[in-house]
Amino acid sequence: MRHPFLLKAALLILQSALTRKLSAFVSLVDDDLETLARFHQRRRTFMPGHELVHEGEKRQSAFVLAEGWACSFKILPDGERQIVDFQIPGDFLGLRSILFRTSDHSVQAITRIEASEVLSSDLLNAFADAPRLATAVLWAASRDEAMVVERLCSLGRRSAEERMAHFLLELGARLNILGIGDLTDFACPLTQYHLGDALGLTAVHVNRVLRRLREDNLLTMRNGQVTILDLERLKGLAGFDANYLDQDGPLLR
Amino acid sequence: MRHPFLLKAALLILQSALTRKLSAFVSLVDDDLETLARFHQRRRTFMPGHELVHEGEKRQSAFVLAEGWACSFKILPDGERQIVDFQIPGDFLGLRSILFRTSDHSVQAITRIEASEVLSSDLLNAFADAPRLATAVLWAASRDEAMVVERLCSLGRRSAEERMAHFLLELGARLNILGIGDLTDFACPLTQYHLGDALGLTAVHVNRVLRRLREDNLLTMRNGQVTILDLERLKGLAGFDANYLDQDGPLLR
């Protein structure tokens, strides 16, 4: 390596939202960063509404989201949509799709997004070259699962207000570690249809719930901006404990 | 290695439910099998009701279940329980617990179980020695997530009958690849409380749903035995497509 300093500088510039997220779990060394940078070779732009991953189709690609918002969902036989989760920069899109024969879900861009395609061979090669990275990717997948588990608890056991409060607190915490939002004040492009399809509520019900939370001086959501007015009281209402996001700085050094 | 044949025979005898499950995704070679065998060094027996992993506690162990049934769950602030999933032989118990600082869920034995403790160092060492195994463990975690996603769809979008039908079809398919049950006829130690806490129903409602499915000649569940009487009609009712279990023989050779 003739210019280790230049390489390091280039890697820092390349430092992606994925790197920032994985760094919450593991202290990444130069080799890990070089391997991770390979995940960003095939970067593409997609317009809002574009479907990147298709439920029921074989040989799908996965992506790492660099910019914008996406959602993963399933369409049920009667045509209804269940949104599984929303993805923000640093999240994998359709990771299960490259491990499974047939993708069990779809992924759609909500805003204009930039995302890099990851093939299953990229993943296998990365794991062989940097085993710590394998643990970090397993951690990221586990964190995604932990969020789905919280959503399951919401649908099974929480009231409409509690679901909404829990979801928006989670979103604030996720955006916060990426440095693209504040815990209590962040831009959010989701419509009431997105919120309804994720939380098992109708759009009308979503509206009513948001109005009630606003009247209680807990939060406002208007013009694509969420502002949490009373964080502690909202956490109390939702029974929110951020431990399941496991993002308090590297565990593995 | 002086007795390669004997070693191979020993490995075959050691072949665990975990090996059988991972073999549905990847053709495991001898090195992988030797590495996997290390996951079974610290085998222990636990009695029904024993809690192996504790929500909210730090430095938890994970386990690989060898015999019996367990369930993972969360207790909500009001004391209600949401069961996330049931584990059968070959499944990890609390895998997220060794990756997260604080466990986001609890795991309890339903029957008498045998399970082997897995430390995070076991996982890291295994990934370094056998990178294909890292992909297989990521696949297993993704499959667990796919099941939670299906449960989310059930709670968000399926009727009580559809939820129950979907759940019991999944269980039959999972037991079937382990060779410890048939798709349409299997032993099942779950009570109506387990089913209710997993499917967002009361025990009374579970009873009513099972009676209706029996009266429709779709299935019976009695004395710990599930018998599916009309597989195709039940699949149609549930909108069940086993693709998300991704278990049709090794994808990765």
Side-chain angles (χ1 to χ4, degrees):
Chain A
M1 201 59 63
R2 275 161 64 196
H3 299 291
F5 179 77
L6 277 181
L7 173 72
K8 188 128 193 172
L11 283 172
L12 277 176
I13 291 165
L14 272 172
Q15 194 180 58
S16 61
L18 176 62
T19 305
R20 283 202 296 279
K21 189 174 83 166
L22 296 186
S23 298
F25 171 66
V26 55
S27 294
L28 297 165
V29 297
D30 286 357
D31 281 357
D32 300 328
L33 292 173
E34 279 185 64
T35 307
L36 256 187
R38 284 192 242 143
F39 283 6
H40 292 281
Q41 281 168 347
R42 286 177 297 274
R43 186 152 163 163
R44 295 163 62 186
T45 301
F46 300 98
M47 300 316 281
H50 182 85
E51 202 174 289
L52 292 83
V53 176
H54 314 285
E55 182 179 354
E57 291 195 11
K58 292 182 195 294
R59 282 180 292 281
Q60 299 284 285
S61 296
F63 297 84
V64 175
L65 188 58
E67 292 292 337
W69 291 58
C71 69
S72 55
F73 62 96
K74 290 179 83 107
I75 300 289
L76 278 96
D78 60 2
E80 287 209 90
R81 174 173 74 162
Q82 175 67 46
I83 290 183
V84 176
D85 208 357
F86 300 99
Q87 289 81 37
I88 57 175
D91 288 342
F92 284 103
L93 308 179
L95 184 59
R96 291 200 300 282
S97 304
I98 52 170
L99 296 172
F100 285 9
R101 272 146 275 235
T102 305
S103 180
D104 73 319
H105 65 290
S106 299
V107 176
Q108 194 176 45
I110 291 176
T111 64
R112 183 179 183 278
I113 64 170
E114 294 197 23
S116 305
E117 198 175 358
V118 177
L119 309 176
S120 55
S121 55
D122 296 329
L123 213 58
L124 278 170
N125 294 337
F127 286 4
D129 294 348
R132 280 160 64 93
L133 211 54
T135 321
V137 171
L138 183 62
W139 170 82
S142 298
R143 190 169 174 271
D144 287 348
E145 187 185 351
M147 291 192 281
V148 180
V149 165
E150 280 296 336
R151 207 88 68 239
L152 183 74
C153 289
S154 278
L155 267 60
R157 299 293 185 198
R158 293 189 183 111
S159 72
E161 276 81 9
E162 289 165 2
R163 290 179 203 184
M164 184 66 75
H166 200 280
F167 172 72
L168 293 175
L169 286 165
E170 175 185 289
L171 215 44
R174 288 170 67 192
L175 291 163
N176 188 237
I177 60 154
L178 299 174
I180 53 179
D182 189 271
L183 271 180
T184 56
D185 195 29
F186 53 88
C188 172
L190 306 180
T191 66
Q192 48 198 296
Y193 295 100
H194 289 126
L195 294 170
D197 284 355
L199 302 177
L201 306 171
T202 63
V204 173
H205 201 171
V206 165
N207 246 333
R208 204 180 312 143
V209 166
L210 286 173
R211 193 178 62 228
R212 234 176 280 151
L213 291 169
R214 188 175 63 234
E215 287 169 357
D216 285 347
N217 292 314
L218 286 165
L219 65 87
T220 62
M221 182 171 185
R222 54 168 70 107
N223 306 324
Q225 191 75 19
V226 174
T227 307
I228 291 173
L229 304 170
D230 190 332
L231 185 62
E232 287 314 310
R233 206 151 52 88
L234 197 67
K235 279 187 178 176
L237 169 70
F240 182 80
D241 176 342
N243 273 337
Y244 71 96
L245 294 173
D246 193 56
Q247 58 186 24
D248 298 328
L251 178 68
L252 206 66
R253 288 176 191 278
Chain B
M1 199 61 61
R2 275 160 65 194
H3 299 291
F5 179 77
L6 277 181
L7 174 72
K8 189 132 192 171
L11 283 171
L12 278 174
I13 292 165
L14 272 172
Q15 196 181 57
S16 61
L18 176 62
T19 305
R20 284 201 296 278
K21 189 173 83 168
L22 296 184
S23 298
F25 172 66
V26 55
S27 294
L28 298 164
V29 297
D30 286 357
D31 280 357
D32 300 328
L33 292 173
E34 281 184 66
T35 307
L36 257 186
R38 284 192 241 142
F39 283 6
H40 293 281
Q41 280 169 347
R42 284 178 297 274
R43 186 151 163 165
R44 294 163 62 186
T45 302
F46 299 99
M47 300 317 282
H50 183 87
E51 203 173 290
L52 291 84
V53 176
H54 314 286
E55 182 179 353
E57 291 196 9
K58 294 183 193 294
R59 281 181 292 281
Q60 299 286 284
S61 296
F63 297 84
V64 175
L65 187 57
E67 292 291 337
W69 292 58
C71 70
S72 54
F73 61 95
K74 290 177 83 107
I75 300 290
L76 280 95
D78 61 3
E80 286 209 272
R81 174 174 74 163
Q82 176 67 48
I83 290 182
V84 176
D85 207 356
F86 299 98
Q87 289 80 36
I88 57 175
D91 288 343
F92 283 103
L93 308 179
L95 185 58
R96 292 200 301 282
S97 304
I98 53 172
L99 296 171
F100 285 11
R101 270 146 276 235
T102 306
S103 179
D104 73 320
H105 65 290
S106 300
V107 177
Q108 193 176 48
I110 291 176
T111 64
R112 183 179 183 276
I113 64 171
E114 293 197 24
S116 305
E117 196 175 0
V118 177
L119 309 176
S120 55
S121 55
D122 296 329
L123 213 59
L124 278 171
N125 294 336
F127 287 5
D129 294 348
R132 282 160 63 91
L133 210 55
T135 322
V137 170
L138 182 62
W139 169 82
S142 298
R143 190 170 175 268
D144 287 348
E145 186 184 354
M147 290 192 281
V148 180
V149 165
E150 279 296 335
R151 207 89 68 238
L152 183 73
C153 289
S154 279
L155 267 59
R157 299 293 186 199
R158 293 190 183 110
S159 72
E161 275 81 7
E162 290 165 3
R163 290 178 202 182
M164 183 66 74
H166 200 281
F167 172 72
L168 293 175
L169 285 164
E170 175 184 290
L171 215 44
R174 288 171 68 193
L175 291 164
N176 190 235
I177 60 152
L178 299 175
I180 53 178
D182 190 90
L183 271 179
T184 55
D185 196 28
F186 52 88
C188 171
L190 306 180
T191 65
Q192 47 196 299
Y193 296 101
H194 290 125
L195 294 170
D197 284 355
L199 302 176
L201 307 171
T202 63
V204 174
H205 202 172
V206 166
N207 246 334
R208 205 180 310 142
V209 166
L210 287 173
R211 194 179 60 228
R212 235 176 279 150
L213 292 169
R214 188 176 62 234
E215 285 168 0
D216 285 347
N217 291 314
L218 287 165
L219 66 85
T220 61
M221 183 171 185
R222 54 169 69 109
N223 305 324
Q225 190 74 17
V226 173
T227 306
I228 292 173
L229 303 169
D230 191 333
L231 185 63
E232 287 315 310
R233 207 150 51 85
L234 198 66
K235 279 187 178 176
L237 168 70
F240 183 81
D241 177 342
N243 273 338
Y244 71 97
L245 293 173
D246 192 56
Q247 57 185 26
D248 298 328
L251 178 68
L252 205 68
R253 284 173 196 281

